[in-house]
Amino acid sequence: MENNKMLIRLPLALCAVAMMTLPALAQSGGPAIAYTTANLNMRAGPGTNYPVLATVPQGGGVTVFGCTANFSWCDAAFANVKGWVSGKYLSYGVQGNYYGRPIPSAGVYIGVPRYGNNYPIYRRPPPVVRPVQPIYPRYPRRY
């Protein structure tokens, strides 16, 4: 009888351990969701010497694809713009143990990929061109 209980408990224990590790595995190595803690310039590359592509408003949600080795700059997307933002102004935005923690302190634990020296540089997004309404001389209306 004791052997039967052990045979039932062992798979249950293994199942419980697997259920606890699945959220960590699901997040590791992929994009992370973060929120900005200030109005944040999104730049073409990881540094203030790169041009500004857009400004992310405070509280704006960004998708973080990776960061520099020390998490000081993160490759992110906001709306339809992709660029680099300062990591110290990003807070992790997924519920769990690291929710609300700055990306530089949580990045290793949530599995944000890190770039070496081979990081992407982005261009300015194309300007939005609105069609110009032609100006017609005022003619009397015909009914």
Side-chain angles (χ1 to χ4, degrees):
M1 187 72 167
E2 284 297 318
N3 286 341
N4 288 341
K5 287 183 182 178
M6 287 296 281
L7 290 175
I8 292 173
R9 288 182 185 164
L10 182 62
L12 288 176
L14 291 174
C15 186
V17 169
M19 296 286 281
M20 291 170 55
T21 58
L22 280 177
L25 290 175
Q27 181 59 41
S28 65
I33 303 300
Y35 294 95
T36 60
T37 59
N39 290 339
L40 195 54
N41 285 332
M42 180 172 279
R43 297 182 175 272
T48 56
N49 56 323
Y50 290 96
V52 175
L53 303 177
T55 300
V56 182
Q58 182 176 359
V62 295
T63 303
V64 177
F65 298 102
C67 295
T68 57
N70 61 358
F71 295 98
S72 61
W73 289 91
C74 294
D75 180 17
F78 174 74
N80 62 346
V81 181
K82 194 167 180 189
W84 289 85
V85 293
S86 177
K88 67 182 175 181
Y89 297 105
L90 295 177
S91 290
Y92 185 56
V94 177
Q95 291 294 331
N97 292 339
Y98 299 101
Y99 178 78
R101 290 191 51 194
I103 289 294
S105 65
V108 172
Y109 304 108
I110 60 175
V112 174
R114 290 190 267 179
Y115 295 105
N117 291 334
N118 190 18
Y119 47 80
I121 303 296
Y122 298 104
R123 296 183 193 182
R124 290 184 189 274
V128 176
V129 179
R130 295 185 180 153
V132 177
Q133 296 295 328
I135 300 173
Y136 296 109
R138 295 190 178 247
Y139 294 110
R141 290 187 183 190
R142 294 181 188 174
Y143 293 100

